[in-house]
């Protein structure tokens, strides 16, 4: 009997131990239940190690296990979405170890509303307090680009815009909304969209109550069907709906808020574009050639300037009247220095292929049947006449950035990854040679590279996205416009640089990174 009593007593003690153990493990189990992707940290050394090994970390500090519940549920979904791009960690400042950690990093979540604080760490050091909306979409966008601009819907000035996230929400709006709707289909990176957003916001406020102005980011591939349905071929595209039915596109991209509001009062379909007017061969003093007449024409005319063109080409259209006027002047008199001719390369393709015509207009000078000069500078009447009276070789083409001596490292798809792996900090400019914004940035970027040329851990690099296989590389690196600046740490993409594109901006960015590196060295010595 006594043994049974002792056995029962031991069972009760064991059960109590299990309950105590469960009570101690409950916060940890709660965290695990939220998501195994959220790093639970309580030791200071583990925290420093986390920041050393991860470049993009959002840390939730809470006063207790329960005070972080609402955040942890949301952050579980965020962690799953940004897996591989960012890290989410949790520090409970309410337990003994966590309290020591919070004290060392000087964080006090009890001073915050709800007893929780979100701080972001970048490249091993504190970057910023997370102050954007505590929503899944905003947090994901922030972790994918911590230095990037906020989402359109985060702008308080855009409060009167209806922000649509899914196709289901889009269909629901059209089905239920009785008021007319003007919808802006846009992409976050689109420059024209960014320029028009403030105007669209103001128009939404001015027409509030009578009309609905909405915005929808349809750049992701999941909206390809929607784009096809409403003929979205570029950004932004504006579609006007009444009682759920699409009626018109709105195409005034230079509009003011008043222009949009006035149009909404009396919406009209865009005026049809004037049809292409062919270059009249009968009324023009220019000789119009075909594949068949090309060689015989050159035999008859020892000096000929020939314009290879496409009817749809805007630069060609602009040049046509200048070319016609020059031909009329040159054809007068018996001592003309030469003749002007043109070839529609979209119809007569053999001549274009023979002379490797790759863009329009291309102007070539033929002397005694020989292709002598290609003349990209001849666009105006006076310059054409001047050249024909004194034919000279064109000035040498502008030296490419890559061929100019500088401290910028020019990379391609073949050496991009290997080169960046060797550098702690690399600022890479992805560009196109024809891009005016790129041309403006080149001297500033080059000057910054020159300043850091002796630093073996730092490099300023450039990639010409139009050359060879670089187009695919640029696509892989998230380049959607020129120029794009990416920051890499030992070959790993850290984020985009969206700062000032002057010399001071490029230099200041690198100096701040180097300053953080030095701070880490000092802290490490202090810890030792």
């Amino acid at each position: 009997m006594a043994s049974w009593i002792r056995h029962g007593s031991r069972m009760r003690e064991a059960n109590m131990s299990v309950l105590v153990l469960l009570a101690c493990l409950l916060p940890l189990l709660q965290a695990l239940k939220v998501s195994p992707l959220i790093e639970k940290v309580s030791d200071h050394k583990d925290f420093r190690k986390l920041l050393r090994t991860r470049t993009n970390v959002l840390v939730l500090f809470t006063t207790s296990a329960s005070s972080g519940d609402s955040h942890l549920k949301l952050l579980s979904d965020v962690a799953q979405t940004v897996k591989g791009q960012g890290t989410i960690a949790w520090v409970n400042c309410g337990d003994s170890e966590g309290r020591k950690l919070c004290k060392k990093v000087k964080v006090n979540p009890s001073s915050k509303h709800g007893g929780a604080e979100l701080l972001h760490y970048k490249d091993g050091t504190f970057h910023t307090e997370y102050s954007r909306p505590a929503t899944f979409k905003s947090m994901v966008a922030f972790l994918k680009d911590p230095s990037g601009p906020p989402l359109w819907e985060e702008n308080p000035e855009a409060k009167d815009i209806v922000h649509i996230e899914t196709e289901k929400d889009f269909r629901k709006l059209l089905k239920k909304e009785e008021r007319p709707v003007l919808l802006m289909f846009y992409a976050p990176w689109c420059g024209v969209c960014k320029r028009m957003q403030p105007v669209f916001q103001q128009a939404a406020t001015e027409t509030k109550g009578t009309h609905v102005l909405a915005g929808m980011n349809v750049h992701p591939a999941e909206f390809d069907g929607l784009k096809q349905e409403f003929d979205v071929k570029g950004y932004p595209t504006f579609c006007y709906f009444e009682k759920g039915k699409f009626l018109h596109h709105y195409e005034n991209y230079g509009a003011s808020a008043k222009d949009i509001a006035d149009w909404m009062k009396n919406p009209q379909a865009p005026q049809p574009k004037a049809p292409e007017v062919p270059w009249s061969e009968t009324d023009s003093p220019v000789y119009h050639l075909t594949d068949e007449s090309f060689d015989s024409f050159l035999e008859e005319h020892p000096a000929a300037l020939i314009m290879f063109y496409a009817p749809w080409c805007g630069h060609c259209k602009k040049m046509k009247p200048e070319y016609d006027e020059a031909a009329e002047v040159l054809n007068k008199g018996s001592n003309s220095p030469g003749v002007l001719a043109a070839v529609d390369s979209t119809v007569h393709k053999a001549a274009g292929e023979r002379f490797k015509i790759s863009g329009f207009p291309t102007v070539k000078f033929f002397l005694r049947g020989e292709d002598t000069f290609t003349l990209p500078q001849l666009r105006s009447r006076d310059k054409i006449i001047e050249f024909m009276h004194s034919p000279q070789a064109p000035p040498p083409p502008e030296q490419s950035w890559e061929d100019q001596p500088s401290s910028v490292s020019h990379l391609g798809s073949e050496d991009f990854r290997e080169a960046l792996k060797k550098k702690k900090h690399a600022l890479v400019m992805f560009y196109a040679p024809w891009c005016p914004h790129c041309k403006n940035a080149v001297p500033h970027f080059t000057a910054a590279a020159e300043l850091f040329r002796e630093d073996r851990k730092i490099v300023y690099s450039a990639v010409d996205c139009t050359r060879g296989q670089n187009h695919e590389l640029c696509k892989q690196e998230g380049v959607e416009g020129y120029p794009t600046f990416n920051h890499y740490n030992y070959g790993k993409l850290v984020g985009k640089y969206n700062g000032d594109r002057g010399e001071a901006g490029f230099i200041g960015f690198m100096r701040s990174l180097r300053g953080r590196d030095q701070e880490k060295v000092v802290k490490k010595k202090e810890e030792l």
Side-chain angles (χ1 to χ4, degrees):
M1 183 71 179
S3 64
W4 278 103
I5 292 171
R6 284 196 299 274
H7 178 71
S9 177
R10 283 197 297 270
M11 287 291 289
R12 283 193 295 276
E13 289 173 4
N15 288 337
M16 287 297 293
S17 299
V18 170
L19 289 172
V20 170
L21 181 62
L22 285 172
C24 294
L25 288 174
L26 184 59
L28 180 60
L29 290 171
Q30 284 176 325
L32 290 172
K33 184 180 176 183
V34 172
S35 172
L37 293 175
I38 295 181
E39 304 266 359
K40 176 70 168 69
V41 187
S42 55
D43 181 76
H44 184 254
K45 286 185 178 179
D46 291 341
F47 183 71
R48 300 310 308 177
K49 182 181 178 182
L50 177 70
L51 298 187
R52 278 198 310 272
T53 56
R54 312 289 175 85
T55 59
N56 179 21
V57 186
L58 185 64
V59 185
L60 172 67
F61 295 91
T62 63
T63 53
S64 64
S66 58
S67 64
D69 279 353
S70 60
H71 281 91
L72 286 168
K73 288 171 185 174
L74 171 61
L75 288 170
S76 298
D77 296 331
V78 175
Q80 182 65 46
T81 304
V82 300
K83 185 179 177 182
Q85 296 173 279
T87 301
I88 295 176
W90 173 38
V91 178
N92 177 10
C93 299
D95 61 36
S96 57
E97 287 297 315
R99 194 175 299 114
K100 293 176 187 175
L101 169 56
C102 294
K103 191 174 181 181
K104 278 196 173 183
V105 297
K106 296 181 174 59
V107 175
N108 180 17
S110 62
S111 63
K112 300 291 179 178
H113 177 71
E117 185 171 10
L118 279 164
L119 301 181
H120 184 256
Y121 295 80
K122 188 177 177 183
D123 299 326
T125 58
F126 172 71
H127 172 230
T128 186
E129 179 180 354
Y130 180 85
S131 56
R132 288 166 63 170
T135 64
F136 172 79
K137 191 175 179 183
S138 291
M139 285 182 165
V140 168
F142 173 79
L143 278 165
K144 286 187 175 181
D145 187 7
S147 301
L151 299 173
W152 190 12
E153 52 263 48
E154 293 176 26
N155 184 351
E157 300 295 321
K159 64 183 185 302
D160 294 323
I161 298 286
V162 176
H163 298 280
I164 303 170
E165 291 189 27
T166 66
E167 185 171 345
K168 184 179 178 182
D169 292 340
F170 166 74
R171 303 289 179 193
K172 186 177 178 181
L173 174 73
L174 294 187
K175 186 177 181 180
K176 294 193 172 183
E177 186 55 65
E178 292 292 323
R179 294 168 293 177
V181 176
L182 183 61
L183 179 62
M184 176 176 173
F185 290 113
Y186 70 95
W189 47 263
C190 158
V192 179
C193 305
K194 290 175 185 176
R195 191 171 69 245
M196 288 205 71
Q197 281 174 358
V199 174
F200 202 61
Q201 289 164 193
Q202 188 180 342
T205 301
E206 290 180 9
T207 59
K208 186 178 179 181
T210 57
H211 299 80
V212 173
L213 271 64
M216 184 176 184
N217 170 18
V218 290
H219 179 59
E222 65 188 276
F223 300 117
D224 284 353
L226 203 62
K227 285 182 276 190
Q228 188 174 358
E229 182 179 350
F230 294 102
D231 199 27
V232 179
K233 294 177 180 175
Y235 304 114
T237 293
F238 296 91
C239 293
Y240 177 76
F241 300 86
E242 284 186 5
K243 298 190 183 302
K245 185 180 178 182
F246 169 64
L247 295 183
H248 313 303
H249 281 112
Y250 178 71
E251 295 182 353
N252 184 0
Y253 299 108
S256 65
K258 185 177 183 302
D259 291 334
I260 295 173
D262 289 345
W263 184 86
M264 292 285 282
K265 293 172 187 173
N266 183 29
Q268 300 290 323
Q271 292 297 313
K273 293 177 181 177
E276 296 287 350
V277 178
W279 199 346
S280 172
E281 298 184 16
T282 53
D283 300 333
S284 169
V286 172
Y287 292 92
H288 289 270
L289 308 181
T290 65
D291 286 332
E292 292 74 24
S293 66
F294 193 90
D295 289 332
S296 59
F297 176 82
L298 291 182
E299 288 176 9
E300 294 171 16
H301 300 88
L305 193 68
I306 300 180
M307 173 181 169
F308 296 84
Y309 74 96
W312 45 260
C313 158
H315 293 295
C316 303
K317 292 175 185 176
K318 189 176 180 182
M319 186 176 169
K320 279 179 187 178
E322 301 282 335
Y323 204 64
D324 272 334
E325 287 181 25
E328 194 167 351
V329 171
L330 291 167
N331 288 352
K332 286 179 180 177
S334 57
N335 58 345
S336 172
V339 294
L340 270 57
V343 180
D344 181 350
S345 296
T346 65
V347 177
H348 307 288
K349 298 179 181 179
E353 290 171 3
R354 180 171 149 198
F355 294 103
K356 297 180 172 58
I357 304 301
S358 58
F360 304 114
T362 293
V363 180
K364 284 182 171 288
F365 179 67
F366 291 82
L367 187 62
R368 290 183 288 276
E370 293 293 325
D371 177 10
T372 309
F373 304 134
T374 300
L375 303 149
Q377 81 279 16
L378 294 190
R379 289 290 185 270
S380 69
R381 167 189 177 275
D382 292 342
K383 284 195 173 184
I384 292 168
I385 294 171
E386 181 185 343
F387 171 82
M388 291 301 288
H389 279 288
S390 179
Q392 293 180 2
E398 185 181 334
Q399 191 179 25
S400 70
W401 186 18
E402 193 166 349
D403 293 333
Q404 297 171 21
S406 78
S407 297
V408 174
S409 171
H410 290 272
L411 304 176
S413 56
E414 65 283 352
D415 58 359
F416 180 80
R417 312 246 175 245
E418 284 304 313
L420 295 193
K421 281 179 183 177
K422 299 172 185 176
K423 300 295 181 179
K424 186 167 189 179
H425 297 299
L427 186 61
V428 182
M429 176 175 166
F430 297 90
Y431 73 99
W434 47 260
C435 157
H437 295 298
C438 304
K439 290 177 183 178
N440 291 338
V442 163
H444 305 296
F445 196 78
T446 304
E450 187 65 22
L451 184 68
F452 288 93
R453 69 184 184 281
E454 301 295 336
D455 195 321
R456 290 182 296 173
K457 293 184 178 181
I458 287 173
V459 69
Y460 287 75
S461 298
V463 176
D464 178 356
C465 293
T466 66
R467 184 168 62 84
Q469 299 298 314
N470 290 356
H471 178 72
E472 189 59 34
L473 168 66
C474 296
K475 190 176 178 182
Q476 290 170 4
E477 298 306 304
V479 176
E480 295 176 325
Y482 306 120
T484 290
F485 300 89
N486 283 357
H487 169 219
Y488 295 84
N489 176 259
Y490 291 121
K492 185 177 180 181
L493 176 61
V494 178
K496 294 192 184 300
Y497 169 80
N498 293 305
D500 180 68
R501 294 178 182 175
E503 184 178 336
F506 294 132
I507 291 172
F509 174 73
M510 203 60 80
R511 278 180 173 161
S512 68
L513 294 175
R514 197 168 61 174
R516 291 175 195 170
D517 292 342
Q518 290 169 349
E519 285 176 12
K520 284 194 277 186
V521 171
V522 172
K523 286 181 181 178
K524 196 169 184 180
K525 286 180 179 177
E526 290 174 351
E527 288 173 5
L528 293 173

